[in-house]
Amino acid sequence: MSITRNFGIPHVGRAARAVMLSMAAGGLVAGMSVQAAERPVGVSQNLYEEGALERYLAEAEKGDIFSQYVLGHMYSTGKAVEQDYEQGLRWYRAAAEAGYAPSQLALGSMYYAGQGVEADAAEAARWFEKAAERGYARAQANLAAVYLAGEGVPTDHDKALHWYREAVLGGHKGSRYYLAMMYARGMAMDEPDYVAAYALLDPLVKEGDERSAELLASFEDDMSRTELAEAREWIKGPQTRERMVAALK
């Protein structure tokens, strides 16, 4: 999707330009996908080897949280077992209620998609928030998305900005685009922060991401010489967490 660059009104203020950018980029929020938890990580053995189901069932019944999570993953994806969303939901819930963030994310994703349960965006958001508060970046990204779109929770740009920022600082690459969009639009702030948006988009643009390039092009001409110089100087250095915190003030 292309974004109109010629807004047709010269010498307008930043607030007006942000509104026009928002209108031109109006479809960007649509189609954000909620992410499920990734395959269990940090395990060297083959999770799906012969006898794995029996072994994990035995441990899960004793209350082992990781085994419960693995069973949720196996049943919800049909790995080494016949796919069974209800069983997946059951085991994800067990680990989620014990406070395991990846399971909280997965459970929220199943509520969002209506897998093994009636779709419930509000319940999905509740579980995303639990995992987000534990510092789980993927859940922070999902929670930001539902606040931005107003799905299951009232639209809240302040919270969307906060959680996208946390997700980016936590290393969630996919959140950079949406956070940049909010900075470029001036959402939940007094005016657009093009320098921060530029810094967020630059690595994505260099990797060939077309929509990031389109978003950057939509506001680059509106940046002052000082802003452009600041942004180009900033991206010369490593994007460490400390520098990102300063840039995303």
Side-chain angles (χ1 to χ4, degrees):
M1 178 182 65
S2 61
I3 301 175
T4 303
R5 296 185 63 181
N6 180 14
F7 297 127
I9 303 178
H11 308 301
V12 295
R14 284 196 161 205
R17 287 203 302 269
V19 170
M20 289 184 283
L21 173 59
S22 180
M23 294 172 63
L28 289 176
V29 175
M32 288 187 296
S33 60
V34 168
Q35 305 169 64
E38 63 266 60
R39 179 185 182 278
V41 297
V43 180
S44 58
Q45 77 268 25
N46 178 6
L47 292 174
Y48 314 120
E49 62 190 4
E50 186 177 352
L53 178 62
E54 292 75 14
R55 184 174 67 255
Y56 284 119
L57 276 170
E59 293 300 316
E61 293 287 1
K62 296 176 185 177
D64 183 76
I65 295 172
F66 184 73
S67 295
Q68 293 168 346
Y69 173 65
V70 173
L71 284 175
H73 178 79
M74 291 174 71
Y75 278 113
S76 63
T77 60
K79 295 290 187 182
V81 295
E82 184 176 348
Q83 189 174 52
D84 186 331
Y85 285 134
E86 291 185 1
Q87 284 296 316
L89 191 79
R90 172 198 171 191
W91 289 115
Y92 273 147
R93 185 186 302 280
E97 290 178 346
Y100 191 54
S103 253
Q104 292 170 337
L105 168 64
L107 184 61
S109 298
M110 293 189 77
Y111 269 106
Y112 188 88
Q115 296 173 331
V117 68
E118 185 175 349
D120 187 336
E123 185 68 1
R126 188 173 77 87
W127 285 107
F128 293 155
E129 185 168 17
K130 287 180 180 293
E133 289 177 345
R134 289 180 172 272
Y136 197 37
R138 292 169 64 89
Q140 292 168 343
N142 280 6
L143 185 59
V146 296
Y147 274 122
L148 184 60
E151 294 185 278
V153 294
T155 300
D156 190 323
H157 291 164
D158 287 321
K159 290 182 178 179
L161 185 74
H162 168 76
W163 288 115
Y164 271 135
R165 182 178 183 272
E166 291 301 302
V168 168
L169 293 176
H172 190 262
K173 181 179 174 180
S175 290
R176 298 180 73 100
Y177 173 82
Y178 292 107
L179 184 58
M181 179 187 68
M182 295 193 72
Y183 274 106
R185 290 187 184 187
M187 300 169 73
M189 56 191 72
D190 294 333
E191 62 179 19
D193 186 338
Y194 294 138
V195 174
Y198 194 111
L200 286 161
L201 292 171
D202 179 71
L204 304 180
V205 173
K206 288 176 178 175
E207 291 176 2
D209 186 71
E210 291 185 3
R211 68 174 184 169
S212 294
E214 290 173 351
L215 180 56
L216 181 58
S218 71
F219 66 81
E220 190 172 12
D221 287 346
D222 289 324
M223 297 177 70
S224 68
R225 290 183 178 180
T226 299
E227 287 173 322
L228 275 172
E230 182 181 348
R232 289 168 179 168
E233 184 63 28
W234 194 93
I235 63 175
K236 289 180 182 179
Q239 292 203 6
T240 63
R241 179 180 173 85
E242 291 73 23
R243 292 187 73 231
M244 287 298 296
V245 167
L248 303 179
K249 54 186 180 295

